[in-house]
Amino acid sequence: MKIYLDGQFYDKENAKISVFDHGLLYGDGVFEGIRFYHGRVFRLEEHIARLFDSAKAICLKIPQDKAAVTAAVLETIRQNALQDGYVRLVVTRGPGDLGLNPALCPKATVFIIASKITLYPDEMYRNGLTVATCATRRIPHGALSPMVKSLNYLNNVLAKIEAQQSGAGEGLMLNEQGYVAECTGDNVFIVKNGAIFTPPISSGALAGITREVVFEIAAELGIAISEPEMTRYDIYTADECFLTGTAAEIIPAVRLDSREIGDGKPGPVTGRLIARFRQLTETTGTAIY
Ligand code: PXG
């Protein structure tokens, strides 16, 4: 496996960053998780744009422009001769002092890993995932914007631990007001009376790229979609529920807090969205080779 690190490629064993890197010391950095299918990178431009927005929001200067980072992502996949897989693109504040002052970190660190991804088992796409509400609340806008895809995932990690401890596949996170925000690594949607609903970004959701694709597919299929504030009541009483994310793609959720959602089986609208999403991943994207 070849890893991109600050402009060079290294074997996995030799791809190392400093223990003084503030990405490690303070979670000071940003990242993207990107998928590629059949030799094409899905929604690459959107991922690069979000990375640069995340960096800008935390005053982190990426030492290359968007075109150079895009080229580095493509080259990393080529170096590993992959057709299908997953890219982790990370920019940290870089090595600095012991002390959180980012001004003492002269240069950001950029690394890119291109690898295979372990999907949720096929069974979960057919039968659906179970979700549990977490006591850990989504980080409020006033502390750190949930729009920033930062290296500070401890909030989500704690929620994921809760979900696992209760035997669920994913954890539902509420915001400080008790409205539904998102899951620990996915956006959440419901279907009610044939229309699709998802919480607004202002409720504490990441502006997911897969989420955006669902909006496009809904428009194409003529299905109404909107973003009202949502509570758990809306999910408990929904006809269907599904989660979206680069890693998860579109996956049905059939239980929340052990309660059946709809009839407890993946629903027809979710099925149509998954089918169209798969078509898009197979036929669109930035060519790698
Ligand atoms: N919310 C959060 C908190 C996320 O981290 C999403 C929503 C979905 O966004 P996209 O743009 O991917 O549709 C994410 C993305 C992982 C993993 O390793 C997690 C994500 C992406 C890739 C891998 O669990 N989360």
Side-chain angles (χ1 to χ4, degrees), residues 66-122:
K66 284 184 188 169
V69 175
T70 302
V73 167
L74 295 169
E75 186 55 28
T76 305
I77 302 170
R78 284 193 287 266
Q79 290 279 331
N80 290 282
L82 293 167
Q83 292 287 334
D84 295 85
Y86 176 78
V87 167
R88 177 60 57 98
L89 165 57
V90 182
V91 184
T92 77
R93 191 75 66 177
D97 258 19
L98 289 179
L100 59 81
N101 186 1
L104 298 176
C105 302
K107 191 162 183 282
T109 300
V110 180
F111 64 87
I112 307 169
I113 306 166
S115 184
K116 289 279 179 192
I117 186 163
T118 22
L119 291 163
Y120 279 113
D122 228 25

Side-chain angles (χ1 to χ4, degrees), residues 268-288:
V269 175
T270 305
R272 288 174 70 198
L273 294 169
I274 291 174
R276 182 63 185 139
F277 181 79
R278 295 217 164 128
Q279 274 179 352
L280 287 174
T281 61
E282 281 166 19
T283 56
T284 64
T286 308
I288 301 163

Side-chain angles (χ1 to χ4, degrees), residues 31-35 47 50 86-88 117 120 138 146 149 153 156 160 170 173 182-188 204-212 244-249:
F31 78 103
E32 282 295 319
I34 309 170
R35 280 255 212 176
H47 282 287
R50 187 171 66 184
Y86 176 78
V87 167
R88 177 60 57 98
I117 186 163
Y120 279 113
R138 190 74 180 100
K149 204 162 160 59
Y153 258 55
N156 307 57
K160 187 83 186 180
E170 245 296 18
M173 300 186 77
E182 60 179 345
C183 288
T184 68
D186 319 281
N187 291 110
V188 61
L206 183 78
I209 286 161
T210 320
R211 178 184 188 273
E212 200 53 44
T244 70
T246 297
E249 301 174 302

